[in-house]
Every structure is written in C-alpha cells, then in structure tokens.
Amino acid sequence: HKHIPVAAGMAGGSTDAAAVLYGMNRIFDLGLSKEDLMTRGVKLGADVPYCIMRGTALAEGIGEKLSALPPMVKCPVLIAKPSISVSTKFDGLIGAIRAKNLEQIAGHMGNVLETVTIPNYPVIAEIKDHMMEHGAVHAMMSGSGPTVFGLFANGDTAVAAYEAMRESNLAKQVYLTSIYNNAR
C-alpha cells in the first residue's frame, strides 16, 4: 500500500507497472528472472527497471543501466508536493506527434529537470529553501517534479520541518517518512 502523490515525479506509475510485471510473472508462473523483468520493464518506462530491482542503485543512461549500491543510510525524509502538477515533456510531445503539429513537437522536445522546471514553478525552489532552512541535510526535486524531498539527520528536526512545511502552505501534500533498509 503506497501513498505517492499523483504526477509527483516519484515513479508512482512506474511502481504500478513494475508490480504488474512482477505479479503476472508469478500468477502465470512464467519463470522470468528479475533481469528479464527489468528488460521488459524499460519498454514501459525508464525507471520501471529500478522499481523491479528495488533498493539503492546508481541509475545511468535513461535510468535503465543500474548498479546496486549499499543500502541508503537510515534517516527521516520529508516529502512535499505543491498544488501544481508537472507532466513530463513526453506527454505533450506524444500529443503533438498525434496531432501532427510540428511547432508543438518542437516546443515539447527536451528533458524536464530542475533547471527547466524550477524557473516555471518557483514554488519548487521555495520548498527546497524552506526545507534547508529547517534543517534538511539536502533537498531536491524528485524526478521531473514537482515534489521535493529533504533528507534529515534526525527525527526531531524532521518533525519540526514537517510542521513548519504544513504551516507554510507552500505544499498541498506533506508527508514525513523514513528510509529503512529491507532485503533486496
């Protein structure tokens, strides 16, 4: 059971795709290895292989080249999604291709990362700054945004930052969770 905000840049749809692949493999007793599922998963989305692999990993290429890393340090994580939603450029690009509109195609080409998203949605930078001002070790936008996550060294600071974020009205959804290590 997950509580990932929709259109948050946190692989919510990719985790669903990974779960379907994993489930179909088990239900139909296909005998596919994790690597087989990952190869199929990348055709659905660049981060689907990571969702199948799980754990901590270095992602290279478009996200499909994965190298396992030691588990992440246990720490509180504050997640804040502003009231905006940011679709990836690919959503608009696909629509433009279907509409056969060259100007729209050209207008939707490129990557949507912090350097592109933040100028269009300054609230993302405000949330990052707010987290840092309230003790985050580091804060950054998740995926293509708009969700921002902050890593905290201790729980008390994270709880105080959570309360401050809720009171700030910068984010529509605010969650406090933690990274925990589980078996791969």
Side-chain angles (χ1 to χ4, degrees):
H1 187 67
K2 63 182 182 176
H3 297 281
I4 297 174
V6 174
M10 297 184 70
S14 295
T15 58
D16 290 345
V20 168
L21 287 173
Y22 181 82
M24 302 240 343
N25 189 37
R26 289 191 61 182
I27 290 169
F28 295 106
D29 198 24
L30 300 175
L32 297 172
S33 69
K34 186 184 287 188
E35 290 72 25
D36 292 335
L37 293 173
M38 291 167 64
T39 299
R40 286 164 174 77
V42 75
K43 296 174 183 172
L44 301 173
D47 51 1
V48 174
Y50 168 76
C51 296
I52 292 169
M53 179 180 179
R54 301 174 24 158
T56 305
L58 170 65
E60 297 177 287
I62 61 167
E64 85 289 7
K65 297 176 185 169
L66 300 168
S67 302
L69 295 173
M72 175 65 181
V73 174
K74 293 181 183 180
C75 66
V77 179
L78 178 60
I79 298 168
K81 181 187 179 287
S83 59
I84 59 171
S85 291
V86 177
S87 64
T88 64
K89 288 278 188 176
F90 294 114
D91 295 338
L93 180 60
I94 291 168
I97 291 170
R98 287 187 175 140
K100 299 185 186 302
N101 186 317
L102 183 59
E103 288 180 26
Q104 286 183 2
I105 292 169
H108 285 94
M109 292 177 67
N111 284 333
V112 181
L113 300 172
E114 262 189 20
T115 57
V116 175
T117 306
I118 288 176
N120 293 320
Y121 303 99
V123 69
I124 296 169
E126 292 176 48
I127 291 172
K128 285 180 58 179
D129 292 344
H130 193 270
M131 286 187 185
M132 294 300 293
E133 289 166 7
H134 286 85
V137 175
H138 190 61
M140 66 183 276
M141 186 176 76
S142 177
S144 57
T147 303
V148 176
F149 67 93
L151 302 178
F152 289 81
N154 70 63
D156 292 340
T157 304
V159 169
Y162 167 80
E163 295 298 333
M165 183 61 69
R166 288 181 53 93
E167 291 172 15
S168 75
N169 291 319
L170 288 171
K172 183 177 181 180
Q173 296 171 282
V174 182
Y175 305 96
L176 183 59
T177 186
S178 63
I179 294 174
Y180 62 94
N181 300 329
N182 59 2
R184 289 187 186 265

